[in-house]
Amino acid sequence: MTEHRTKDRIEPEHEHEHEHEHEHEDKTGKRTRNRTKNGTARVRLRALPPWSLLAAGALAGGLLGGAYGLVRTPQYTATSYVVAVPGKGSDPASALGFAQAYGRVATQLAVLGDAQVWAGVPVATLERSVRTQTSPDAPMVSVSATAARPDLAADLADAVTRALTRHAAHSADATRVTLRRFARATEPTAPATATPAVTGLVGLSAGGLLGGLALLVRPRGATGEDGGTPSVPAPATAPGATPTSTADSRKAPL
């Protein structure tokens, strides 16, 4: 009975040992396979030509740029013009200075607050969409508005010029200069933003540039092409001379 009990105890212990051995072998095999895969991937990457980074960057940049151009909503810009006219008895040169001043006032809240009534959009939208520009040679102010629709862009530009001329008319007695509408805004026929072809070319250039930078800064291995450690050649000795070890050559003469 004692022998049977001892055998029964020993057999489970052997079974547990075999299970641990199998688990250890499985883990070791997985690590070996993973190392082999990683080594194979590195070898394949090293086998690629150097210009592959440049080509991959340019291709990725071109695709991203073209996709951005397709997804982005096109924007249209319309422009209207007003001209400063000097009043009776005023200096004609003063109209140029007042045109510069009205060009800066056109994007202020005092003018945009009146323009929102005719534009039908909030003041915040006008602040983001409207830009003005003046000329140093002519007393003229250009008001440009950008929107997602051509008709809306023209309406925004005309609304701001209308509010600006009314604002100038209220102070015409003091300034002796009035603003008159020179040209109404027309609906643009083409978007002001870049087309998908242009954004694709920009992305292509940017991707190629990044690929070239990656090609320049990529790490260069210290080992040779075969993956082995480069050998250092032994120092040459004269014919008939006895080669000395490095340790002997470092000893100082007595």
Side-chain angles (χ1 to χ4, degrees):
M1 295 293 291
T2 305
E3 292 179 358
H4 286 293
R5 290 177 182 177
T6 305
K7 290 181 180 179
D8 293 337
R9 292 177 182 176
I10 293 173
E11 289 178 357
E13 292 179 357
H14 283 295
E15 290 178 358
H16 286 299
E17 290 179 359
H18 286 302
E19 290 178 357
H20 287 300
E21 289 179 358
H22 286 301
E23 291 178 358
H24 180 69
E25 290 177 357
D26 292 338
K27 292 180 180 179
T28 305
K30 290 179 179 179
R31 292 176 183 174
T32 304
R33 287 192 295 270
N34 291 334
R35 291 176 181 175
T36 304
K37 291 180 179 179
N38 293 335
T40 305
R42 290 177 182 176
V43 170
R44 289 178 179 177
L45 289 176
R46 290 178 181 176
L48 293 175
W51 53 263
S52 59
L53 288 175
L54 186 63
L59 179 61
L63 292 176
L64 291 176
Y68 173 74
L70 291 174
V71 173
R72 184 184 58 176
T73 304
Q75 299 292 316
Y76 297 87
T77 301
T79 304
S80 61
Y81 300 89
V82 293
V83 61
V85 179
K88 187 176 181 179
S90 64
D91 185 7
S94 64
L96 182 60
F98 278 105
Q100 301 286 335
Y102 284 127
R104 291 189 290 268
V105 173
T107 55
Q108 299 300 318
L109 184 60
V111 177
L112 297 182
D114 295 337
Q116 70 173 341
V117 178
W118 297 294
V121 296
V123 176
T125 303
L126 291 174
E127 290 177 345
R128 292 193 304 267
S129 304
V130 176
R131 296 292 181 269
T132 61
Q133 189 175 2
T134 58
S135 173
D137 302 324
M140 186 175 292
V141 181
S142 64
V143 179
S144 300
T146 302
R149 303 196 320 266
D151 58 337
L152 181 58
D155 292 341
L156 295 181
D158 287 337
V160 174
T161 55
R162 182 179 179 182
L164 183 60
T165 54
R166 290 183 56 138
H167 182 78
H170 291 160
S171 57
D173 295 337
T175 60
R176 295 184 180 181
V177 173
T178 59
L179 283 182
R180 296 180 182 178
R181 180 174 292 177
F182 185 77
R184 293 177 60 90
T186 58
E187 296 183 8
T189 57
T193 52
T195 60
V198 175
T199 56
L201 290 176
V202 173
L204 181 71
S205 302
L209 179 61
L210 293 178
L213 292 176
L215 183 63
L216 292 176
V217 302
R218 66 170 183 167
R220 300 179 182 275
T223 58
E225 295 182 355
D226 56 350
T229 304
S231 58
V232 179
T237 57
T242 303
T244 58
S245 62
T246 307
D248 295 338
S249 60
R250 291 180 181 176
K251 291 182 180 180
L254 297 177

